[in-house]
């Protein structure tokens, strides 16, 4: 079912562990290098599991019903982007740092992709937001790039589109 996550050994094909949700269901997962940690999302929560014991170690509340996330530093940090913010979560200490917002607070925003460089030094996200105003709607597609060590915004780009001019 959607309330259980099965961890299999890739080498032997043997079931190693089963993680169960008490409420809700798993919607996304990420596994750390070496598989010591598993991160999952369920509704407005990001959950950090110890894959060896099956114990739920930490829980982070997000502001949207969905989030994009990726592990950094072999699973020591997690970058999370939802419709309201992008942040880096230090999984050992629990410290959460919010990254600079990529284009103002107005409009309804979505995050379509979150990508991390091979070494985890740089993260990029892209998406779209709908702006309402002056009787017209406008779609703004955006992308942002951050330095994950300093949480500094390195680059931001936007492109505006008129939904009425876009063919369906």
């Amino acid at each position: 079912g959607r309330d259980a996550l099965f961890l299999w050994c890739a080498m032997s094909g043997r079931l190693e562990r089963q993680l169960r949700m008490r409420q809700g269901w798993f919607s996304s997962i990420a596994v750390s290098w070496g598989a010591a940690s598993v991160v999952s999302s369920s509704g407005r929560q990001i959950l950090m599991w110890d894959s060896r014991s099956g114990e739920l170690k930490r829980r982070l509340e997000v502001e949207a019903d969905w989030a994009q996330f990726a592990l950094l530093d072999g699973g020591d940090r997690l970058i999370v982007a939802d419709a309201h913010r992008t942040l880096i979560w230090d999984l050992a200490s629990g410290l959460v740092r919010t990254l600079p917002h990529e284009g103002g607070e107005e409009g309804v925003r979505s995050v379509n992709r979150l990508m991390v460089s091979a070494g985890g030094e740089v993260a990029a996200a892209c998406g779209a937001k709908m702006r309402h105003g002056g009787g017209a709607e406008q779609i703004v597609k955006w992308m942002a790039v951050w330095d994950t060590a300093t949480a500094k915004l390195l680059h931001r780009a936007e492109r505006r589109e008129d939904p009425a001019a876009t063919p369906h």
Side-chain angles (χ1 to χ4, degrees):
R2 294 172 29 180
D3 65 339
L5 178 64
F6 300 93
L7 302 177
W8 299 85
C9 175
M11 299 300 288
S12 70
R14 190 177 67 240
L15 177 63
E16 296 286 326
R17 173 97 35 232
Q18 182 177 342
L19 306 177
R20 282 226 173 256
M21 296 288 294
R22 298 199 197 300
Q23 294 178 324
W25 56 86
F26 292 101
S27 54
S28 299
I29 64 164
V31 180
S32 68
W33 183 254
S37 299
V38 174
V39 179
S40 66
S41 65
S42 177
R44 293 182 177 207
Q45 296 181 30
I46 305 292
L47 307 168
M48 175 75 176
W49 303 83
D50 181 312
S51 65
R52 291 180 177 89
S53 70
E55 175 187 356
L56 179 61
K57 295 181 353 183
R58 294 193 185 266
R59 180 184 318 256
L60 175 70
E61 297 289 329
V62 292
E63 296 179 22
D65 287 334
W66 54 267
Q68 299 279 328
F69 55 89
L71 286 160
L72 304 170
D73 305 328
D76 294 334
R77 296 184 304 151
L78 181 74
I79 184 166
V80 179
D82 68 17
H84 305 283
R85 61 190 175 161
T86 304
L87 52 88
I88 295 178
W89 182 22
D90 183 305
L91 299 173
S93 70
L95 177 69
V96 176
R97 292 189 318 171
T98 302
L99 283 84
H101 195 275
E102 65 284 332
E105 297 296 330
E106 71 284 351
V108 176
R109 176 178 158 238
S110 68
V111 178
N112 298 341
R113 297 277 185 272
L114 176 65
M115 297 131 308
V116 178
S117 65
E121 303 89 4
V122 176
C126 64
K129 56 187 167 185
M130 181 71 75
R131 287 191 181 146
H132 305 279
E137 290 184 337
Q138 189 178 52
I139 297 173
V140 179
K141 294 187 177 179
W142 61 269
M143 63 85 61
V145 180
W146 297 275
D147 178 311
T148 62
T150 64
K152 180 181 176 188
L153 181 65
L154 300 175
H155 183 72
R156 176 179 69 216
E158 290 187 350
R159 185 180 83 209
R160 291 168 172 64
E161 294 181 358
D162 178 0
T166 304
H168 295 281

